[in-house]
Amino acid sequence: MDNTPNKRIYVLHGPAGIGKSSVAHAFTKSIDDNHLGASFFFNHGIEECRDPQRIIPTLAYQIAHHNPDAIGHIVEAVRKH
């Protein structure tokens, strides 16, 4: 039995100024569009990219746009919570 997950979430964290954004940007550009559901980058210089409350709505929007079959599940989750 193969216990290796076929879906992953990557989180890159560390102190400011060490190049996390550069690494994350290069990583997402290297992934085939069929394998990247969504991404979010914090950028303190851009108002809408520094608000942590925008993470979930942004990811939900991108996932729904990438996979229309997910829309019903997203709407159901929003209504439920």
Side-chain angles (χ1 to χ4, degrees):
M1 185 163 133
D2 183 8
N3 291 327
T4 305
N6 61 0
K7 301 189 189 307
R8 295 182 174 100
I9 294 175
Y10 294 96
V11 176
L12 182 62
H13 64 90
I18 63 167
K20 297 180 302 291
S21 294
S22 295
V23 170
H25 188 265
F27 177 74
T28 58
K29 291 296 181 191
S30 72
I31 296 175
D32 181 348
D33 284 343
N34 294 326
H35 292 95
L36 179 64
S39 63
F40 185 92
F41 298 96
F42 283 101
N43 182 333
H44 292 284
I46 302 172
E47 175 89 28
E48 49 278 345
C49 293
R50 63 179 176 209
D51 183 357
Q53 291 187 8
R54 291 184 184 250
I55 295 172
I56 300 302
T58 299
L59 297 179
Y61 172 83
Q62 290 178 17
I63 290 168
H65 182 72
H66 180 74
N67 181 0
D69 293 337
I71 294 171
H73 298 289
I74 293 168
V75 169
E76 180 182 339
V78 168
R79 286 184 177 148
K80 186 176 180 178
H81 297 285

